[in-house]
Every structure is written in C-alpha cells, then in structure tokens.
Amino acid sequence: MDHLAIGPAGVFSINSKSHRGKTVWYGDTAVTMNGSPTRRIAVGQSEARRISRVLSTRCGVDVPVRPVISAVNATKLTGLTVSAKRARSSSGRTCGAPGLPGG
C-alpha cells in the first residue's frame, strides 16, 4: 500500500507504481503491462483485506477498505470494464470520465 484515503465515500487502499514508458491495460479482473500479466489486482485486494482487518480491530467496528490501483507515467493506458461494455452495447459508444479511456 502506498497511500490510504479516508473520507465520506469510504476507506481506500491505493497502490501506485510508476510505469514510465509502458503500455498498461486494465479490465475488471486483470492488469497487464506491455502485454504481460501482473498480480496488481491480487496484491491490491490482499492489501485492502489486511488494512480492513487492522482498522476493524482497532476501531471495534467493521471497516471495509476498497483497493485502488494507480498507474503513474504510463505511455498508454487502455482498458475495458464490465460497466463500460454495458454502456457500449446499449449506446454504441463507451462512457467514461474525462481524461480516462472512453471519457
């Protein structure tokens, strides 16, 4: 875990790595760099579970933690998620946030 964000939307464990000069592809269950599979999702989920256990124990209540993967300095960032696939299939184009694929 590189960062921990806590706010009204919840608790987020952020794993950010520099990918200078690399092509990063992401989907709902996989992340690849230059076409090679990575363990980024499994590592992020494991970190989030560990942090959730620690915070829940210390706070005395269940504290869910959501994993976030941040690709910094990638030459190209592309991906497709299930929600984007649904948006594309119903409207003919992908919907996304500004500055992100489909945005």
Side-chain angles (χ1 to χ4, degrees):
M1 179 207 41
D2 296 303
H3 310 281
L4 189 64
I6 302 172
V11 180
F12 301 87
S13 166
I14 304 168
N15 186 316
S16 61
K17 299 290 181 254
S18 178
H19 300 295
R20 188 171 306 280
K22 296 182 179 162
T23 297
V24 178
W25 179 90
Y26 65 91
D28 288 324
T29 59
V31 174
T32 66
M33 287 193 313
N34 290 339
S36 298
T38 69
R39 294 192 30 80
R40 299 288 307 276
I41 290 178
V43 169
Q45 290 171 333
S46 176
E47 289 174 344
R49 283 191 300 271
R50 181 174 47 86
I51 294 162
S52 177
R53 280 193 303 271
V54 169
L55 290 175
S56 296
T57 299
R58 297 287 294 190
C59 294
V61 296
D62 183 44
V63 180
V65 177
R66 289 185 266 180
V68 175
I69 297 171
S70 172
V72 180
N73 296 321
T75 298
K76 185 175 181 184
L77 178 65
T78 59
L80 191 59
T81 63
V82 170
S83 57
K85 288 178 191 174
R86 277 193 219 112
R88 178 179 286 165
S89 65
S90 65
S91 69
R93 66 179 193 74
T94 302
C95 301
L100 295 177

